[in-house]
Every structure is written in structure tokens, then in C-alpha cells.
């Protein structure tokens, strides 16, 4: 069953604005990961945050993790039209042996 | 990062025929690979875990006789959709996790007519 639940399900912003996407999950996890998918393509790994980490940065990406609330957020700063894609959070549960559970995804549209 | 190659990217087949999809890890060995199915505008649903040298582990509700998985080498896993029907039309994606992050193939768009 799908564990991750992202919100909003769809987000439309203007180029240059920041985009914030949230993800909630239900079980204890080893790590939480964010992926990006362009239409009709495979997924690309963006960033991984471990259960003992609270915040992580990678370029224009900032991820937070709150294990007490079982939630994570992905912030994309200074968005670009090329950031238009679907974004998924995925969790690796404790003892899951690399098996990931994906959320429903967020469709981000960045208007030029 | 690691490279996973999936082939074919698109396939159209007639109802009742079988289709084989290949997933290769190009620059690392993968004892485990994962097969997902994705419907339009929906998330990835894990179908099965492919284990090199042993039987695949299928998720609940996935018919193992319908979706045959073979993982005969450390760099290749195949998914065969047997006796395909229009409802099997979907986007199938494989992945391998050499470390914690997953590397995905490009996906296969299967259309059964």
C-alpha cells in the first residue's frame, strides 16, 4: 500500500518563485527520498534524508524531515520552467531492505 | 550515478501475446531489482522484487504466473507479461538500489491492442 502522501497534488507557480511540497508517511523509516519524473520517463533521484537528519541541501533543493510528525518537505528555490515535472517522495521502512514505498506524487508546473 | 537501462521503451502487442521487458544495470551488479507499474497520473506501484538466482517476491495482488520475472545474472532482470490483455496496458519501470537511492530505467510503455 502507498505510504507517502504528498500535498498539494498539483502546484502551479511563476518562474522565480519557490515551490514547497510536503509528504507524510505512516511507519518508522530508515530514510526518505525525493524523486522527479518527467512525463513518460523514468524517475530521477533528487535527494535522500536519513531518519537521524533534520535538514539537507542540494543546490536549489532543501529537504526537511520531522520524524515526530512523520512528514517531510521539499523546497525548490528560484524555480525554473525546466523544474516542471512530477515529484514523488519515497520511504524506506525499517527492515525494508531497500524496498521503497512511493507517494502519489505532486505535479509541479512552473510558468515562464 | 549508476545507470539502469530498460528496453524496449515502447511496445505495442496484440491481445494474447507475451511481451518481455529487460532491465540491465550497466555499471554495477544488482542482486536485487524492483519492478513497478504506473498508471497515468498515478504513483508507482511495486509489483515484485527480483532476486538474482532465486524466485522473485511478488506483492499482494500481483499474479506471478501473469508477470514472470527472471533474474538470471547480476546485471539483468526480465519481466514477461504473459497472455497480455488491454488492461495490462501501462507504464512499467524497473529500478535497482546499489546503495540507498534507487536508479530507474527509462520505463516501458506497453500498449495491448
Amino acid at each position: 500500500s502507498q505510504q507517502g502522501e504528498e500535498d498539494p497534488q498539483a502546484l502551479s507557480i511563476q518562474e522565480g518563485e519557490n515551490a514547497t511540497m510536503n509528504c507524510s508517511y505512516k511507519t518508522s523509516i530508515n530514510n526518505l527520498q525525493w524523486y522527479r519524473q518527467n512525463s513518460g520517463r523514468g524517475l530521477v533521484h533528487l535527494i535522500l534524508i536519513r531518519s537521524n537528519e533534520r535538514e539537507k541541501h542540494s543546490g536549489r533543493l532543501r529537504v526537511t524531515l520531522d520524524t515526530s510528525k512523520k512528514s517531510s518537505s521539499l523546497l525548490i528555490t528560484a524555480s525554473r520552467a525546466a523544474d516542471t515535472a512530477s515529484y514523488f517522495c519515497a520511504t524506506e521502512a525499517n527492515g525494508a531492505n531497500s524496498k521503497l514505498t512511493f507517494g502519489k506524487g505532486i505535479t509541479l508546473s512552473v510558468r515562464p | 550515478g549508476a545507470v539502469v537501462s530498460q528496453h524496449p521503451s515502447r511496445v505495442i502487442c496484440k491481445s494474447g501475446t507475451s511481451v518481455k521487458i529487460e532491465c540491465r544495470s550497466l555499471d554495477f551488479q544488482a542482486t536485487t531489482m524492483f519492478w513497478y507499474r504506473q498508471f497515468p497520473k498515478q504513483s508507482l506501484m511495486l509489483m515484485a522484487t527480483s532476486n538474482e538466482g532465486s524466485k522473485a517476491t511478488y506483492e499482494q495482488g500481483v499474479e506471478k504466473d501473469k508477470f514472470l520475472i527472471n533474474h538470471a545474472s547480476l546485471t539483468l532482470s526480465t519481466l514477461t507479461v504473459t497472455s497480455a490483455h488491454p488492461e495490462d496496458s501501462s507504464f512499467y519501470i524497473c529500478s535497482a538500489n546499489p546503495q540507498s537511492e534507487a536508479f530507474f530505467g527509462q520505463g516501458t510503455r506497453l500498449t495491448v491492442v
Side-chain angles (χ1 to χ4, degrees):
Chain A
S1 62
Q2 292 298 314
Q3 154 155 269
E5 295 282 344
E6 295 98 335
D7 74 85
Q9 293 195 347
L11 181 61
S12 180
I13 59 174
Q14 198 71 37
E15 202 165 30
E17 294 179 339
N18 296 340
T20 300
M21 292 168 270
N22 302 302
C23 168
S24 62
Y25 58 92
K26 297 177 181 175
T27 65
S28 295
I29 61 171
N30 288 332
N31 61 70
L32 184 144
Q33 306 177 35
W34 285 90
Y35 289 83
R36 167 198 168 121
Q37 183 182 35
N38 285 77
S39 181
R41 307 293 294 273
L43 277 71
V44 175
H45 180 265
L46 295 176
I47 197 165
L48 179 153
I49 187 164
R50 301 190 189 283
S51 60
N52 61 352
E53 298 176 309
R54 292 296 167 258
E55 186 172 315
K56 205 161 182 181
H57 296 254
S58 177
R60 294 185 295 114
L61 305 180
R62 172 176 169 260
V63 170
T64 63
L65 179 64
D66 187 334
T67 52
S68 66
K69 294 181 180 178
K70 291 187 167 58
S71 67
S72 171
S73 68
L74 171 67
L75 169 66
I76 303 175
T77 61
S79 64
R80 305 167 182 170
D83 294 329
T84 295
S86 293
Y87 292 81
F88 295 88
C89 70
T91 52
E92 181 185 331
N94 287 341
N97 195 26
S98 297
K99 188 168 139 178
L100 296 177
T101 301
F102 284 83
K104 295 180 180 177
I106 300 168
T107 301
L108 174 65
S109 298
V110 182
R111 303 185 300 274
Chain B
V3 178
V4 174
S5 177
Q6 188 173 340
H7 177 81
S9 58
R10 291 178 181 272
V11 58
I12 301 173
C13 72
K14 290 185 177 179
S15 191
T17 62
S18 296
V19 173
K20 180 184 285 188
I21 303 169
E22 293 187 347
C23 182
R24 293 180 186 273
S25 56
L26 297 187
D27 51 359
F28 65 98
Q29 294 183 332
T31 55
T32 302
M33 290 186 177
F34 300 92
W35 287 96
Y36 297 86
R37 181 173 181 175
Q38 185 180 31
F39 289 103
K41 299 188 185 301
Q42 294 192 25
S43 186
L44 280 72
M45 296 294 295
L46 180 65
M47 299 174 66
T49 303
S50 173
N51 304 299
E52 187 269 334
S54 65
K55 292 182 180 179
T57 305
Y58 289 82
E59 295 298 302
Q60 192 173 8
V62 178
E63 299 176 59
K64 61 180 181 180
D65 295 329
K66 172 77 171 177
F67 300 99
L68 299 179
I69 290 173
N70 184 280
H71 195 150
S73 79
L74 287 170
T75 59
L76 174 64
S77 174
T78 61
L79 168 69
T80 301
V81 182
T82 62
S83 186
H85 288 97
E87 57 265 30
D88 298 324
S89 298
S90 190
F91 192 59
Y92 294 87
I93 315 177
C94 67
S95 77
N97 306 19
Q99 296 176 347
S100 291
E101 65 181 85
F103 293 92
F104 285 84
Q106 303 93 320
T108 298
R109 171 75 59 195
L110 170 62
T111 303
V112 184
V113 298

